């Protein structure tokens, strides 16, 4: 039987008041990810600043558009977060010219172009329009390995399943370490994206309500 998390955690729907904590957490969660290493040129000086800028602009636009975010908190500290792009609203961030301009100014034209190409390839892999997409998802590295990821995903599945029109959730990763983990949580691999030398794996978790409707 899996061990319980070392400290009890609370799931909370977040608002813009958590922006600073969300940015810090996601920076630490993504700075060593291979996909973002390629997108924001880890082999060139200033990489950490570019990752910080990417996270800052995505979180800022996400809350500006009042999109949902689920947080996992231990003793009132944010240790995990999932930014959620609901069906029909998920393209708004990358289509914003203001967001694109801020990205170009803070990460450079080439990195912004890489990120937009990556997002376009991801959108092409979606199994349909009626899915929730997770632009960013992470557990702070200090709290990984204690089953908090399972708790956050479980809450995320329940939250998205309340939308009876949603077919499920799509997420992606270029980190081979996470492939078996997502499969254990009920995700099915539905595609791959070439992000430079990185193979980005696209996963889908079906909405159990929709599955029951189909089976009925």
């Amino acid at each position: 039987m899996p061990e319980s998390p070392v400290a009890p955690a609370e799931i909370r729907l977040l608002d813009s008041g958590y922006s600073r904590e969300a940015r810090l957490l996601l920076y630490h969660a993504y700075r060593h990810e291979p996909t973002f290493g390629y997108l924001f040129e880890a082999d060139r000086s200033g990489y950490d600043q570019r990752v910080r800028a990417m996270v800052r602009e995505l979180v800022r636009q996400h809350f500006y558009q009042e999109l949902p975010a689920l947080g996992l908190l231990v003793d009132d500290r944010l240790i995990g977060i999932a930014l959620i792009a609901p069906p029909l609203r998920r393209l708004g961030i990358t289509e914003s010219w203001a967001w694109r301009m801020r990205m170009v100014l803070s990460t450079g034209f080439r990195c912004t172009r890489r990120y937009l190409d990556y997002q376009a390839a991801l959108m092409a892999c979606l199994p349909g329009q009626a899915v929730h997409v997770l632009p960013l998802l992470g557990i702070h590295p200090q709290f990984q390995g204690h089953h908090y990821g399972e708790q956050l995903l479980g809450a995320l599945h329940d939250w998205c399943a309340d939308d009876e029109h949603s077919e499920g959730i799509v997420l992606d990763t270029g980190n081979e370490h996470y492939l078996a983990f997502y499969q254990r949580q009920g995700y099915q691999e539905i595609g791959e994206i070439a992000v430079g030398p990185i193979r980005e794996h696209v996963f889908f978790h079906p909405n159990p309500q929709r599955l029951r409707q189909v089976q009925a």
Side-chain angles (χ1 to χ4, degrees):
M1 179 179 295
E3 297 178 5
S4 298
V6 293
E10 173 194 357
I11 294 291
R12 192 178 299 173
L13 192 62
L14 306 179
D15 58 24
S16 59
Y18 286 91
S19 292
R20 184 178 181 279
E21 291 177 78
R23 294 197 306 266
L24 184 61
L25 188 160
L26 289 167
Y27 164 72
H28 286 294
Y30 277 93
R31 63 189 295 258
H32 295 304
E33 287 300 299
T35 299
F36 288 83
Y38 170 76
L39 292 174
F40 297 100
E41 302 179 331
D43 57 347
R44 184 165 62 86
S45 64
Y47 170 68
D48 283 355
Q49 289 81 358
R50 290 190 292 277
V51 174
R52 285 184 186 276
M54 176 275 297
V55 169
R56 180 186 68 240
E57 296 306 333
L58 283 178
V59 170
R60 175 199 231 174
Q61 192 73 6
H62 193 88
F63 284 123
Y64 173 75
Q65 293 186 332
E66 299 183 338
L67 297 176
L70 280 188
L72 188 67
L73 295 94
V74 171
D75 295 328
D76 226 25
R77 175 185 176 183
L78 187 66
I79 68 159
I81 188 172
L83 301 187
I84 308 168
L88 305 181
R89 296 186 64 191
R90 57 179 169 266
L91 297 182
I93 289 180
T94 56
E95 287 183 344
S96 164
W97 282 105
W99 175 87
R100 291 189 184 204
M101 182 60 67
R102 292 195 302 269
M103 280 287 289
V104 169
L105 292 174
S106 57
T107 69
F109 178 82
R110 184 167 55 200
C111 292
T112 301
R113 183 72 265 167
R114 284 183 177 185
Y115 185 83
L116 290 171
D117 289 345
Y118 150 66
Q119 285 296 308
L122 174 60
M123 293 301 107
C125 287
L126 298 185
Q129 292 297 314
V131 294
H132 288 79
V133 179
L134 307 183
L136 292 176
L137 166 74
I139 300 292
H140 193 286
Q142 292 179 358
F143 292 86
Q144 292 178 4
H146 299 292
H147 304 287
Y148 289 119
E150 287 95 329
Q151 184 177 351
L152 179 58
L153 283 179
L156 181 68
H157 299 159
D158 292 341
W159 189 88
C160 292
D162 284 342
D163 183 349
E164 63 181 11
H165 302 295
S166 175
E167 295 178 355
I169 299 172
V170 172
L171 57 79
D172 60 296
T173 181
N175 191 329
E176 300 286 332
H177 175 72
Y178 296 134
L179 302 185
F181 168 75
Y182 286 129
Q183 290 168 346
R184 290 195 302 271
Q185 307 313 309
Y187 283 83
Q188 310 155 6
E189 186 166 351
I190 59 172
E192 280 191 9
I193 302 169
V195 183
I198 310 300
R199 305 303 298 180
E200 189 78 3
H201 301 264
V202 184
F203 285 96
F204 174 66
H205 187 284
N207 184 338
Q209 289 193 42
R210 293 297 292 267
L211 281 177
R212 286 194 290 269
Q213 291 174 4
V214 171
Q215 292 169 354

